[in-house]
């Protein structure tokens, strides 16, 4: 998340936030940096690990939780970017 | 001759960490360990932001501090420049860990798995118990290099003979080759590009080069460490780059420095007292017991205690091995002297004991990965602190024992003198650190200790001893508490220096790369205070 945008929302590095799309919501810890657009969040955990025996329960935020994988929304390179409008709310401080 | 080196092109590295993953895969390292990793330094504020990615790991130095300090001869340097560790010899003392200015060494005592407590099948198959409790680090994939040489392949050119990280690099940023061959890939690169090595000022001559601009690029601004706002550059995001506290030398290691100093100091005073008639020679035994306790604490700390005798293998280089040898001479000699109650033997034994103390001071000085330890001023500080602790213990005993009452005033005077000398050595040590530049967090810890050290270690004991001289009727408790203060300040000092102020070197760049057009950027050295020049 962009440092300046987080500052305006009262969010600090490591805070727990809830990210909500029109369909669903997920949560995770914020990492701040300058090199990202202020109006954008980047979520690395693109595919939720809900079945794989080892990688599940990693407490990583997931795009899957925010939106279904829709072919109409998937770009030609095969889902290198899934995009959805969200809002973000702080729900806890840094550990 | 051959000198294998790695060249990392900072203009090309995109920070994808594929080298990290390839290293993990090729060498089956634990999740707690990263022989190769890539730092991420972000500078500026949106939208004017730059990021620099810096591959780090063992630098395979021409003058490797890890090898010089290794007491067991486990760490060696091959003729072709590759620094190796023999896992079967290493005792796991982690001295090399605190001697490495590149934070390249790791030691883990138990297996760790990528996903919690359950090992994957791959992890079960590749787990190597021989690597537990010993030092480990990047090997430059020496097995692949040796395979290549045996099969007429050129390391750095043929992938089968090249380190896994270099093979894996997606951006052509990592290169491996022979620096001594003027036609090799790395020699050509270094001719065509501007480059630096990390922490040149430490004098290790790394075999790892960072390329940051074309040779014909405009000259970058000269970085004067006194001028550049290295620590406070706006918008510099450097998580994992600035110094962090060393992980392996805990209170048990500090305990050896405390007991070694206090014990050898006490033995020196006991030796002097032994020239008096009816001096209590049990003091000599007590001093020996204190030193032995310190060494026992170390035995509890090292990763492979059953191999501890390997500590004697490398006295020609390592001060830790020398410490062990001196102890091996000191203990029988001192025990014999105490047993025979012979002053003529106590004095030479005490001299060897001071040699033991000196070796402990040198152990800290040779830990070149810890800026707060490697300054030469630590040597007088540790020596005088040991004597002051010994004098404190001796004064406490003298105050209580009637048989030493004739000496108590002289002992008090020498204890307070040593406490004053110690305060001078401390001042000069701190002044040197501040002047030369040090990790800011080390300085903060030492600064916080400063008033306590002065009050407990010098001001209050001097006052008590002065009052005791004026009022002999109450001198016993006054001398006793002054003695405890002088002793306790020494304990606190070593505990703090070893377990709280031991921040490592961190990482630094002599230049940030060009990245496209323009000129290279200034030095980056986060987490460090600026040296004070002139």
């Amino acid at each position: 998340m962009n440092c300046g945008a987080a500052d305006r929302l009262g969010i600090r590095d490591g805070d727990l936030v809830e990210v909500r799309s029109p369909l669903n919501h997920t949560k995770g810890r914020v990492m701040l940096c300058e090199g990202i657009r202020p109006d954008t969040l980047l979520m690395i955990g693109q595919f939720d690990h809900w079945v794989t025996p080892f990688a599940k329960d990693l407490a990583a935020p997931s795009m899957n939780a925010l939106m279904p994988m829709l072919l109409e929304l998937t770009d030609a390179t095969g889902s290198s970017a899934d995009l959805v409008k969200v809002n973000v709310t702080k729900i806890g401080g840094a550990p | 001759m051959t000198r294998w080196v790695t060249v990392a092109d900072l203009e090309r590295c995109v920070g994808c960490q594929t080298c990290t993953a390839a290293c993990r895969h090729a060498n089956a390292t634990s999740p707690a360990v990263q022989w190769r990793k890539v730092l991420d330094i972000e500078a500026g504020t949106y939208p004017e932001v730059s990021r620099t990615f810096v591959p780090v790991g063992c630098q395979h130095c021409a003058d490797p501090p890890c090898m010089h300090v290794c007491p067991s001869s486990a760490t060696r340097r091959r003729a072709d420049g590759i620094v190796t560790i023999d896992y079967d010899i290493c005792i796991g003392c982690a001295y090399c860990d605190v001697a490495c200015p590149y934070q390249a060494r790791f030691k883990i005592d138990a297996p760790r798995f990528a996903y919690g407590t359950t090992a994957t099948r791959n992890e079960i198959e590749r787990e190597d118990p021989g690597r537990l409790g010993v030092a480990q680090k990047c090997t430059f994939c020496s097995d692949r290099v040796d395979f290549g040489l045996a099969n007429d392949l050129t390391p750095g050119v043929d992938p089968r003979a090249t380190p896994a990280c270099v093979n894996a690099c997606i951006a052509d940023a990592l290169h491996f080759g022979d620096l001594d061959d003027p036609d090799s890939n790395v020699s050509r690169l270094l001719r065509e590009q501007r480059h630096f090595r990390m922490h040149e000022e430490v004098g290790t001559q790394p075999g790892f080069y960072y390329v940051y601009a074309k040779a014909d690029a405009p000259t970058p601004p000269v970085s004067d460490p006194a001028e550049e706002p290295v620590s406070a550059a706006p918008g510099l995001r450097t998580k994992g780059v600035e110094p962090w506290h060393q992980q392996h030398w805990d209170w048990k290691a500090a305990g050896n420095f405390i007991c070694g100093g206090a014990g050898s100091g006490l033995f020196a005073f006991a030796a002097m007292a032994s020239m008096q008639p009816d001096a209590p020679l049990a003091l000599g035994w007590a001093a020996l017991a204190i030193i032995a306790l310190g060494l026992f604490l170390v035995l509890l700390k090292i990763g492979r205690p059953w191999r501890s005798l390997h500590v004697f293998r490398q006295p020609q280089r390592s001060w830790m091995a020398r410490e062990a040898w001196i102890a091996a001479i000191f203990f029988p000699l001192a025990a014999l002297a105490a047993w025979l109650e012979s002053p003529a033997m106590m004095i030479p034994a005490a001299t060897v004991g001071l040699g033991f103390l000196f070796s402990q001071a040198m152990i800290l000085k040779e830990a070149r990965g810890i800026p707060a330890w490697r300054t030469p001023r630590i040597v007088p500080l540790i020596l005088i602190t040991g004597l002051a602790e010994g004098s404190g213990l001796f004064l406490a005993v003298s105050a209580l024992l009637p048989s030493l009452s004739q000496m108590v005033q002289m002992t008090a005077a020498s204890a307070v003198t040593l406490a004053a000398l110690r305060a001078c050595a401390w001042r000069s040590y701190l002044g040197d650190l501040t002047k030369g530049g040090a990790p800011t967090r080390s300085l903060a810890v030492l600064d916080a200790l400063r008033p306590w050290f002065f009050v407990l270690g010098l001001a209050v004991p001097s006052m008590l001893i002065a009052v005791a001289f004026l009022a002999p009727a109450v001198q016993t408790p006054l001398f006793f508490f002054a003695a405890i203060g002088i002793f306790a300040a020494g304990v606190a000092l070593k505990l703090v220096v070893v377990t709280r102020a031991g921040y490592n070197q961190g990482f630094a760049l002599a230049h940030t790369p060009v990245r496209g057009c323009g000129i290279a950027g200034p030095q980056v050295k986060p987490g460090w205070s600026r040296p004070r020049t002139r």
Side-chain angles (χ1 to χ4, degrees):
Chain A
M1 185 173 186
N2 179 280
C3 298
D7 197 39
R8 282 189 290 281
L9 292 169
I11 293 171
R12 281 188 288 188
D13 201 36
D15 280 354
L16 191 63
V17 293
E18 182 183 78
V19 180
R20 191 169 279 279
S21 77
L23 296 170
N24 215 330
H25 64 91
T26 184
K27 61 186 176 180
R29 298 217 169 265
V30 169
M31 277 178 69
L32 296 184
C33 72
E34 290 286 350
I36 183 171
R37 285 174 58 113
D39 58 359
T40 302
L41 297 178
L42 173 71
M43 210 175 271
I44 296 290
Q46 192 178 8
F47 300 111
D48 209 349
H49 290 270
W50 66 99
V51 177
T52 47
F54 295 108
K56 65 177 182 157
D57 305 329
L58 288 184
S62 164
M63 278 296 283
N64 268 161
L66 291 182
M67 58 179 297
M69 302 246 324
L70 302 175
L71 278 181
E72 307 89 87
L73 292 175
T74 300
D75 67 30
T77 59
S79 177
S80 66
D82 290 340
L83 306 172
V84 66
K85 278 195 162 184
V86 294
N87 69 13
V88 53
T89 322
K90 176 174 168 173
I91 56 171
Chain B
M1 287 295 286
T2 305
R3 167 75 161 127
W4 299 118
V5 300
T6 294
V7 176
D9 190 337
L10 298 181
E11 286 193 271
R12 300 191 71 101
C13 179
V14 296
C16 67
Q17 307 269 5
T18 307
C19 52
T20 310
C23 175
R24 291 282 310 281
H25 178 70
N27 297 297
T29 52
S30 154
V33 164
Q34 281 184 316
W35 291 357
R36 164 76 64 248
K37 66 177 174 182
V38 183
L39 308 175
D40 178 349
I41 301 172
E42 186 186 68
T45 35
Y46 182 87
E48 298 294 328
V49 181
S50 75
R51 270 169 97 183
T52 304
F53 303 104
V54 188
V56 293
C58 176
Q59 311 267 313
H60 294 273
C61 305
D63 187 15
C66 54
M67 179 187 77
H68 293 305
V69 302
C70 176
S72 71
S73 75
T75 292
R76 278 170 252 175
R77 187 172 176 274
R78 303 193 337 182
D80 61 5
I82 298 182
V83 177
T84 59
I85 303 174
D86 187 332
Y87 301 134
D88 295 333
I89 295 178
C90 177
I91 60 173
C93 66
Y95 193 6
C96 53
D97 178 84
V98 291
C100 173
Y102 303 95
Q103 293 75 243
R105 289 184 165 242
F106 299 85
K107 190 188 93 177
I108 52 165
D109 293 313
R112 287 262 286 276
F113 307 111
Y115 303 109
T117 50
T118 328
T120 60
R121 201 165 68 202
N122 181 47
E123 283 173 324
I124 293 167
E125 274 173 23
R126 303 193 66 190
E127 174 66 26
D128 177 6
R131 281 207 304 229
L132 294 177
V134 297
Q136 53 169 301
K137 66 164 189 73
C138 156
T139 62
F140 261 7
C141 283
S142 57
D143 50 340
R144 301 174 71 90
V145 172
D146 291 344
F147 168 85
L149 293 175
N151 290 281
D152 223 14
L153 308 171
T154 309
V157 177
D158 191 297
R160 287 169 294 173
T162 304
C165 56
V166 177
N167 284 339
C169 182
I170 63 163
D172 208 17
L174 284 175
H175 305 268
F176 183 81
D178 179 8
L179 189 67
D180 283 353
D181 172 4
D183 298 322
S184 73
N185 54 344
V186 289
S187 298
R188 201 182 58 244
L189 252 175
L190 293 179
R191 266 198 308 277
E192 290 166 359
Q193 309 271 340
R194 288 180 200 272
H195 52 85
F196 65 87
R197 295 186 293 184
M198 199 182 282
H199 306 326
E200 283 275 19
E201 72 279 11
V202 187
T204 55
Q205 302 166 50
F208 203 111
Y209 291 79
Y210 293 97
V211 155
Y212 66 94
K214 297 269 181 298
D216 55 5
T219 309
V222 176
S223 287
D224 180 348
E227 301 292 323
E228 293 292 342
V230 288
S231 307
L236 198 64
R237 200 169 54 86
T238 55
K239 219 174 196 171
V241 181
E242 58 275 80
W244 65 94
H245 202 279
Q246 57 90 9
Q247 299 291 309
H248 294 298
W249 282 20
D250 56 2
W251 66 270
K252 297 189 219 76
N256 185 36
F257 289 106
I258 292 165
C259 293
S264 51
L266 179 61
F267 194 88
F269 276 85
M272 280 189 273
S274 70
M275 287 184 281
Q276 294 279 327
D278 48 84
L281 284 149
L283 272 183
W285 291 110
L288 282 182
I290 292 172
I291 298 175
L293 172 68
L295 293 171
F296 178 69
L297 287 175
V298 171
L299 196 63
L300 294 182
K301 171 191 81 82
I302 63 176
R304 296 281 186 159
W306 294 109
R307 288 182 197 160
S308 52
L309 289 181
H310 288 182
V311 75
F312 290 108
R313 288 174 62 117
Q314 192 74 282
Q316 60 272 47
R317 283 201 289 254
S318 165
W319 275 101
M320 187 179 275
R322 290 173 194 167
E323 180 202 31
W325 275 105
I326 296 174
I329 299 166
F330 174 69
F331 273 96
L333 187 63
L336 190 65
W339 188 48
L340 295 176
E341 306 189 355
S342 151
M345 286 192 68
M346 286 291 274
I347 297 295
T351 315
V352 180
L354 295 183
F356 180 79
L357 176 57
F358 180 71
S359 68
Q360 289 204 326
M362 292 304 289
I363 286 176
L364 283 177
K365 181 183 162 281
E366 292 302 317
R368 278 155 80 189
I370 310 290
W373 299 355
R374 68 176 178 229
T375 158
R377 306 272 174 97
I378 197 126
V379 177
L381 179 64
I382 294 293
L383 284 177
I384 298 171
T385 303
L387 291 175
E389 283 167 319
S391 77
L393 285 180
F394 188 69
L395 178 59
V397 177
S398 307
L400 299 178
L401 284 187
S403 60
L404 287 170
S405 59
Q406 290 159 311
M407 295 181 67
V408 72
Q409 295 204 337
M410 212 173 78
T411 308
S414 50
V416 86
T417 311
L418 282 168
L421 282 175
R422 180 175 68 184
C424 294
W426 162 252
R427 213 182 125 81
S428 125
Y429 161 77
L430 265 191
D432 189 50
L433 270 190
T434 315
K435 197 170 134 227
T440 48
R441 294 169 78 184
S442 281
L443 289 180
V445 167
L446 295 171
D447 270 339
L449 175 68
R450 195 205 296 250
W452 293 101
F453 186 68
F454 178 73
V455 170
L456 180 72
L458 183 60
V460 170
S462 322
M463 237 150 47
L464 292 176
I465 287 172
V467 174
F469 273 106
L470 296 174
V474 289
Q475 73 173 19
T476 298
L478 292 179
F479 279 154
F480 182 77
F481 286 114
I484 296 302
I486 291 173
F487 172 68
V491 172
L493 170 75
K494 288 187 211 168
L495 199 61
V496 167
V497 166
V498 174
T499 66
R500 304 288 309 283
Y503 284 88
N504 61 26
Q505 177 83 20
F507 298 104
L509 301 181
H511 302 278
T512 42
V514 169
R515 290 214 159 248
C517 57
I519 56 171
Q523 183 198 32
V524 177
K525 193 174 181 179
W528 274 68
S529 72
R530 275 192 235 176
R532 280 189 208 152
T533 43
R534 294 163 290 277

